[in-house]
mmCIF file of all heavy atoms in Angstrom:
data_model
loop_
_atom_site.group_PDB
_atom_site.id
_atom_site.type_symbol
_atom_site.label_atom_id
_atom_site.label_comp_id
_atom_site.label_asym_id
_atom_site.label_seq_id
_atom_site.Cartn_x
_atom_site.Cartn_y
_atom_site.Cartn_z
ATOM 1 N N ILE A 164 56.752 -38.885 17.153
ATOM 2 C CA ILE A 164 56.009 -39.741 18.245
ATOM 3 C C ILE A 164 55.036 -40.609 17.638
ATOM 4 O O ILE A 164 54.933 -41.780 17.908
ATOM 5 C CB ILE A 164 55.429 -38.806 19.317
ATOM 6 C CG1 ILE A 164 56.483 -38.075 20.135
ATOM 7 C CG2 ILE A 164 54.488 -39.562 20.214
ATOM 8 C CD1 ILE A 164 55.977 -36.996 20.985
ATOM 9 N N PHE A 165 54.184 -40.216 16.737
ATOM 10 C CA PHE A 165 53.184 -41.013 16.118
ATOM 11 C C PHE A 165 53.797 -42.094 15.247
ATOM 12 O O PHE A 165 53.371 -43.234 15.318
ATOM 13 C CB PHE A 165 52.251 -40.168 15.354
ATOM 14 C CG PHE A 165 50.959 -39.786 16.057
ATOM 15 C CD1 PHE A 165 50.982 -38.821 17.023
ATOM 16 C CD2 PHE A 165 49.779 -40.374 15.799
ATOM 17 C CE1 PHE A 165 49.801 -38.408 17.661
ATOM 18 C CE2 PHE A 165 48.658 -40.077 16.467
ATOM 19 C CZ PHE A 165 48.652 -39.072 17.464
ATOM 20 N N LYS A 166 54.812 -41.802 14.626
ATOM 21 C CA LYS A 166 55.561 -42.801 13.859
ATOM 22 C C LYS A 166 56.160 -44.018 14.737
ATOM 23 O O LYS A 166 56.002 -45.098 14.342
ATOM 24 C CB LYS A 166 56.723 -42.252 13.036
ATOM 25 C CG LYS A 166 56.311 -41.513 11.749
ATOM 26 C CD LYS A 166 57.512 -40.948 10.960
ATOM 27 C CE LYS A 166 57.126 -40.466 9.639
ATOM 28 N NZ LYS A 166 58.411 -39.916 8.987
ATOM 29 N N ARG A 167 56.703 -43.600 15.773
ATOM 30 C CA ARG A 167 57.335 -44.584 16.721
ATOM 31 C C ARG A 167 56.250 -45.384 17.468
ATOM 32 O O ARG A 167 56.335 -46.620 17.518
ATOM 33 C CB ARG A 167 58.187 -43.835 17.780
ATOM 34 C CG ARG A 167 58.902 -44.818 18.662
ATOM 35 C CD ARG A 167 59.831 -45.923 17.993
ATOM 36 N NE ARG A 167 60.785 -45.228 17.146
ATOM 37 C CZ ARG A 167 61.972 -44.830 17.780
ATOM 38 N NH1 ARG A 167 62.291 -45.122 19.036
ATOM 39 N NH2 ARG A 167 62.885 -44.266 16.970
ATOM 40 N N LEU A 168 55.148 -44.768 17.797
ATOM 41 C CA LEU A 168 54.069 -45.518 18.476
ATOM 42 C C LEU A 168 53.446 -46.479 17.403
ATOM 43 O O LEU A 168 53.046 -47.616 17.793
ATOM 44 C CB LEU A 168 52.922 -44.636 18.934
ATOM 45 C CG LEU A 168 53.254 -43.856 20.212
ATOM 46 C CD1 LEU A 168 52.193 -42.784 20.475
ATOM 47 C CD2 LEU A 168 53.505 -44.666 21.372
ATOM 48 N N LEU A 169 53.348 -46.032 16.171
ATOM 49 C CA LEU A 169 52.786 -46.996 15.060
ATOM 50 C C LEU A 169 53.682 -48.205 14.934
ATOM 51 O O LEU A 169 53.277 -49.275 14.735
ATOM 52 C CB LEU A 169 52.610 -46.240 13.814
ATOM 53 C CG LEU A 169 52.069 -47.003 12.645
ATOM 54 C CD1 LEU A 169 50.660 -47.490 12.931
ATOM 55 C CD2 LEU A 169 52.028 -46.167 11.358
ATOM 56 N N GLU A 170 55.055 -47.930 14.998
ATOM 57 C CA GLU A 170 56.060 -48.990 14.920
ATOM 58 C C GLU A 170 55.965 -50.047 16.048
ATOM 59 O O GLU A 170 55.993 -51.252 15.842
ATOM 60 C CB GLU A 170 57.421 -48.439 14.771
ATOM 61 C CG GLU A 170 57.683 -47.586 13.526
ATOM 62 C CD GLU A 170 59.100 -46.986 13.530
ATOM 63 O OE1 GLU A 170 59.832 -47.241 14.584
ATOM 64 O OE2 GLU A 170 59.355 -46.233 12.664
ATOM 65 N N THR A 171 55.893 -49.513 17.299
ATOM 66 C CA THR A 171 55.797 -50.272 18.474
ATOM 67 C C THR A 171 54.534 -50.932 18.755
ATOM 68 O O THR A 171 54.422 -52.101 19.259
ATOM 69 C CB THR A 171 56.431 -49.438 19.634
ATOM 70 O OG1 THR A 171 55.548 -48.349 19.888
ATOM 71 C CG2 THR A 171 57.794 -49.048 19.373
ATOM 72 N N ASP A 172 53.413 -50.139 18.650
ATOM 73 C CA ASP A 172 52.190 -50.633 19.107
ATOM 74 C C ASP A 172 51.153 -51.023 17.967
ATOM 75 O O ASP A 172 50.125 -51.620 18.210
ATOM 76 C CB ASP A 172 51.459 -49.621 20.050
ATOM 77 C CG ASP A 172 52.299 -49.343 21.229
ATOM 78 O OD1 ASP A 172 53.033 -50.170 21.629
ATOM 79 O OD2 ASP A 172 52.048 -48.232 21.867
ATOM 80 N N GLY A 173 51.496 -50.542 16.763
ATOM 81 C CA GLY A 173 50.548 -50.789 15.708
ATOM 82 C C GLY A 173 49.291 -49.734 15.712
ATOM 83 O O GLY A 173 48.442 -50.047 14.912
ATOM 84 N N GLN A 174 49.341 -48.818 16.595
ATOM 85 C CA GLN A 174 48.231 -47.881 16.766
ATOM 86 C C GLN A 174 48.788 -46.742 17.570
ATOM 87 O O GLN A 174 49.876 -46.786 18.122
ATOM 88 C CB GLN A 174 47.028 -48.541 17.500
ATOM 89 C CG GLN A 174 47.394 -49.040 18.868
ATOM 90 C CD GLN A 174 46.250 -49.771 19.498
ATOM 91 O OE1 GLN A 174 45.137 -49.989 18.888
ATOM 92 N NE2 GLN A 174 46.359 -50.217 20.621
ATOM 93 N N ALA A 175 48.012 -45.686 17.506
ATOM 94 C CA ALA A 175 48.324 -44.454 18.396
ATOM 95 C C ALA A 175 47.099 -43.574 18.576
ATOM 96 O O ALA A 175 46.189 -43.628 17.787
ATOM 97 C CB ALA A 175 49.364 -43.636 17.610
ATOM 98 N N PHE A 176 47.160 -42.934 19.781
ATOM 99 C CA PHE A 176 45.943 -42.085 20.152
ATOM 100 C C PHE A 176 46.372 -40.798 20.755
ATOM 101 O O PHE A 176 47.207 -40.808 21.682
ATOM 102 C CB PHE A 176 45.052 -42.862 21.135
ATOM 103 C CG PHE A 176 43.820 -42.268 21.472
ATOM 104 C CD1 PHE A 176 42.675 -42.412 20.636
ATOM 105 C CD2 PHE A 176 43.603 -41.584 22.622
ATOM 106 C CE1 PHE A 176 41.487 -41.798 20.958
ATOM 107 C CE2 PHE A 176 42.376 -40.983 22.989
ATOM 108 C CZ PHE A 176 41.300 -41.144 22.184
ATOM 109 N N GLY A 177 45.950 -39.744 20.244
ATOM 110 C CA GLY A 177 46.297 -38.368 20.738
ATOM 111 C C GLY A 177 45.086 -37.485 20.892
ATOM 112 O O GLY A 177 44.149 -37.557 20.202
ATOM 113 N N THR A 178 45.217 -36.627 21.900
ATOM 114 C CA THR A 178 44.138 -35.700 22.224
ATOM 115 C C THR A 178 44.556 -34.269 22.044
ATOM 116 O O THR A 178 45.776 -34.008 22.035
ATOM 117 C CB THR A 178 43.590 -35.868 23.696
ATOM 118 O OG1 THR A 178 44.677 -35.513 24.604
ATOM 119 C CG2 THR A 178 43.170 -37.328 24.054
ATOM 120 N N ARG A 179 43.637 -33.367 21.925
ATOM 121 C CA ARG A 179 43.850 -31.904 21.762
ATOM 122 C C ARG A 179 44.843 -31.598 20.692
ATOM 123 O O ARG A 179 45.757 -30.738 20.770
ATOM 124 C CB ARG A 179 44.391 -31.378 23.067
ATOM 125 C CG ARG A 179 43.465 -31.549 24.319
ATOM 126 C CD ARG A 179 42.075 -30.906 24.027
ATOM 127 N NE ARG A 179 41.099 -31.212 25.062
ATOM 128 C CZ ARG A 179 40.944 -30.409 26.131
ATOM 129 N NH1 ARG A 179 41.692 -29.323 26.313
ATOM 130 N NH2 ARG A 179 40.059 -30.799 27.003
ATOM 131 N N ALA A 180 44.621 -32.260 19.481
ATOM 132 C CA ALA A 180 45.349 -31.943 18.272
ATOM 133 C C ALA A 180 44.707 -30.794 17.512
ATOM 134 O O ALA A 180 43.551 -30.798 17.363
ATOM 135 C CB ALA A 180 45.458 -33.233 17.374
ATOM 136 N N THR A 181 45.557 -29.981 16.919
ATOM 137 C CA THR A 181 45.019 -28.879 16.057
ATOM 138 C C THR A 181 44.935 -29.497 14.637
ATOM 139 O O THR A 181 45.574 -30.491 14.303
ATOM 140 C CB THR A 181 46.054 -27.708 16.011
ATOM 141 O OG1 THR A 181 47.290 -28.118 15.400
ATOM 142 C CG2 THR A 181 46.333 -27.204 17.482
ATOM 143 N N PRO A 182 44.176 -28.776 13.779
ATOM 144 C CA PRO A 182 44.051 -29.227 12.457
ATOM 145 C C PRO A 182 45.463 -29.261 11.705
ATOM 146 O O PRO A 182 45.685 -30.118 10.934
ATOM 147 C CB PRO A 182 43.104 -28.118 11.791
ATOM 148 C CG PRO A 182 42.278 -27.685 12.982
ATOM 149 C CD PRO A 182 43.136 -27.707 14.034
ATOM 150 N N GLN A 183 46.263 -28.246 12.100
ATOM 151 C CA GLN A 183 47.544 -28.175 11.431
ATOM 152 C C GLN A 183 48.425 -29.398 11.855
ATOM 153 O O GLN A 183 49.137 -30.050 11.042
ATOM 154 C CB GLN A 183 48.234 -26.890 11.820
ATOM 155 C CG GLN A 183 47.682 -25.665 11.256
ATOM 156 C CD GLN A 183 46.354 -25.273 11.928
ATOM 157 O OE1 GLN A 183 46.054 -25.720 13.083
ATOM 158 N NE2 GLN A 183 45.541 -24.433 11.353
ATOM 159 N N GLN A 184 48.364 -29.756 13.083
ATOM 160 C CA GLN A 184 49.139 -30.972 13.584
ATOM 161 C C GLN A 184 48.591 -32.242 12.934
ATOM 162 O O GLN A 184 49.355 -33.015 12.467
ATOM 163 C CB GLN A 184 49.003 -31.106 15.038
ATOM 164 C CG GLN A 184 49.739 -30.025 15.905
ATOM 165 C CD GLN A 184 49.495 -30.153 17.364
ATOM 166 O OE1 GLN A 184 48.348 -30.401 17.797
ATOM 167 N NE2 GLN A 184 50.522 -29.970 18.237
ATOM 168 N N ALA A 185 47.257 -32.293 12.800
ATOM 169 C CA ALA A 185 46.723 -33.497 12.226
ATOM 170 C C ALA A 185 47.154 -33.688 10.774
ATOM 171 O O ALA A 185 47.437 -34.740 10.267
ATOM 172 C CB ALA A 185 45.167 -33.453 12.293
ATOM 173 N N ALA A 186 47.049 -32.554 10.092
ATOM 174 C CA ALA A 186 47.490 -32.486 8.592
ATOM 175 C C ALA A 186 48.928 -32.971 8.501
ATOM 176 O O ALA A 186 49.261 -33.810 7.531
ATOM 177 C CB ALA A 186 47.213 -31.187 7.954
ATOM 178 N N ALA A 187 49.824 -32.495 9.304
ATOM 179 C CA ALA A 187 51.254 -32.997 9.246
ATOM 180 C C ALA A 187 51.407 -34.468 9.465
ATOM 181 O O ALA A 187 52.201 -35.094 8.844
ATOM 182 C CB ALA A 187 52.090 -32.167 10.235
ATOM 183 N N VAL A 188 50.659 -35.000 10.470
ATOM 184 C CA VAL A 188 50.717 -36.424 10.781
ATOM 185 C C VAL A 188 50.174 -37.257 9.669
ATOM 186 O O VAL A 188 50.682 -38.224 9.202
ATOM 187 C CB VAL A 188 50.055 -36.681 12.149
ATOM 188 C CG1 VAL A 188 49.941 -38.212 12.269
ATOM 189 C CG2 VAL A 188 50.773 -36.116 13.270
ATOM 190 N N GLN A 189 49.091 -36.741 9.012
ATOM 191 C CA GLN A 189 48.459 -37.481 8.015
ATOM 192 C C GLN A 189 49.250 -37.421 6.696
ATOM 193 O O GLN A 189 49.161 -38.340 5.819
ATOM 194 C CB GLN A 189 46.960 -36.786 7.709
ATOM 195 C CG GLN A 189 46.040 -37.167 8.820
ATOM 196 C CD GLN A 189 44.646 -36.423 8.635
ATOM 197 O OE1 GLN A 189 44.748 -35.295 8.201
ATOM 198 N NE2 GLN A 189 43.626 -37.124 8.948
ATOM 199 N N ARG A 190 50.101 -36.434 6.486
ATOM 200 C CA ARG A 190 51.010 -36.409 5.341
ATOM 201 C C ARG A 190 52.031 -37.625 5.408
ATOM 202 O O ARG A 190 52.414 -38.172 4.451
ATOM 203 C CB ARG A 190 51.761 -35.067 5.193
ATOM 204 C CG ARG A 190 50.823 -33.978 4.624
ATOM 205 C CD ARG A 190 51.753 -32.818 4.100
ATOM 206 N NE ARG A 190 52.381 -32.177 5.289
ATOM 207 C CZ ARG A 190 51.677 -31.146 5.977
ATOM 208 N NH1 ARG A 190 50.548 -30.684 5.593
ATOM 209 N NH2 ARG A 190 52.304 -30.600 7.038
ATOM 210 N N GLU A 191 52.413 -37.934 6.624
ATOM 211 C CA GLU A 191 53.363 -38.953 6.840
ATOM 212 C C GLU A 191 52.726 -40.357 7.104
ATOM 213 O O GLU A 191 53.214 -41.407 6.779
ATOM 214 C CB GLU A 191 54.252 -38.609 8.077
ATOM 215 C CG GLU A 191 55.094 -37.349 7.931
ATOM 216 C CD GLU A 191 56.199 -37.435 6.933
ATOM 217 O OE1 GLU A 191 56.749 -38.638 6.810
ATOM 218 O OE2 GLU A 191 56.550 -36.462 6.231
ATOM 219 N N ILE A 192 51.524 -40.280 7.692
ATOM 220 C CA ILE A 192 50.793 -41.519 8.020
ATOM 221 C C ILE A 192 49.353 -41.342 7.416
ATOM 222 O O ILE A 192 48.529 -40.820 8.138
ATOM 223 C CB ILE A 192 50.706 -41.758 9.442
ATOM 224 C CG1 ILE A 192 52.158 -41.687 10.115
ATOM 225 C CG2 ILE A 192 50.119 -43.160 9.786
ATOM 226 C CD1 ILE A 192 52.139 -41.775 11.617
ATOM 227 N N PRO A 193 49.145 -41.734 6.124
ATOM 228 C CA PRO A 193 47.858 -41.377 5.518
ATOM 229 C C PRO A 193 46.620 -41.974 6.184
ATOM 230 O O PRO A 193 45.509 -41.501 6.097
ATOM 231 C CB PRO A 193 47.998 -42.033 4.163
ATOM 232 C CG PRO A 193 49.447 -41.999 3.885
ATOM 233 C CD PRO A 193 50.086 -42.314 5.181
#
Side-chain angles (χ1 to χ4, degrees):
I164 289 169
F165 265 76
K166 282 184 173 180
R167 182 58 60 86
L168 287 174
L169 183 59
E170 292 173 5
T171 57
D172 296 340
Q174 59 185 2
F176 187 79
T178 63
R179 301 301 174 92
T181 66
Q183 293 76 19
Q184 287 175 320
V188 171
Q189 288 172 324
R190 280 194 294 270
E191 299 291 329
I192 310 172

